[in-house]
Amino acid sequence: VGMLNCPYGVECIPNSGKYPADKQPDETCPSTEELPNGLATFVAEALDIAISAKTKDGRSVLKGFSWFSQEKAAGTYNQRLQHLNGSINELGQAYLAACSKWAQAQPQP
């Protein structure tokens, strides 16, 4: 899972969309009305959707979730979960919280 830095539905040319990464602090996805905390909102909402998905008999559908965090690869925003100094950034905090929520939603043995 990741967030592209280009408009939907066209060839992805980095920095060609409404919110180009090269104009944002640290080249991250900006806070907007739809994403009040930028990528942190996106990852939290994506995992909420995945966590709530169930089979007809109530079993969880989600078995794994991978965050594509290679910096600006393949036309993405900066998706690092840590600052360059190694401390966890806002996106990393959201990812940890969402993964913890997923773990808590799992049936106990």
Side-chain angles (χ1 to χ4, degrees):
V1 176
M3 174 75 77
L4 292 175
N5 170 29
C6 55
Y8 174 76
V10 297
E11 178 183 351
C12 185
I13 299 170
N15 300 307
S16 63
K18 187 174 181 179
Y19 303 104
D22 63 355
K23 304 289 188 236
Q24 308 303 320
D26 205 24
E27 298 195 22
T28 60
C29 178
S31 297
T32 65
E33 188 174 310
E34 290 180 290
L35 300 171
N37 294 317
L39 276 177
T41 302
F42 174 79
V43 75
E45 290 181 1
L47 270 160
D48 278 348
I49 291 167
I51 291 166
S52 67
K54 306 286 183 209
T55 62
K56 287 182 182 181
D57 62 3
R59 292 174 291 134
S60 177
V61 172
L62 184 63
K63 301 299 179 200
F65 189 90
S66 297
W67 182 250
F68 183 79
S69 62
Q70 188 171 1
E71 182 181 357
K72 298 178 281 181
T76 61
Y77 286 97
N78 172 358
Q79 299 183 137
R80 292 182 307 227
L81 302 176
Q82 299 173 309
H83 295 291
L84 292 176
N85 68 6
S87 63
I88 299 172
N89 62 23
E90 184 179 14
L91 177 58
Q93 292 289 346
Y95 187 73
L96 287 171
C99 289
S100 293
K101 185 176 179 180
W102 174 35
Q104 293 169 2
Q106 300 307 300
Q108 300 302 313

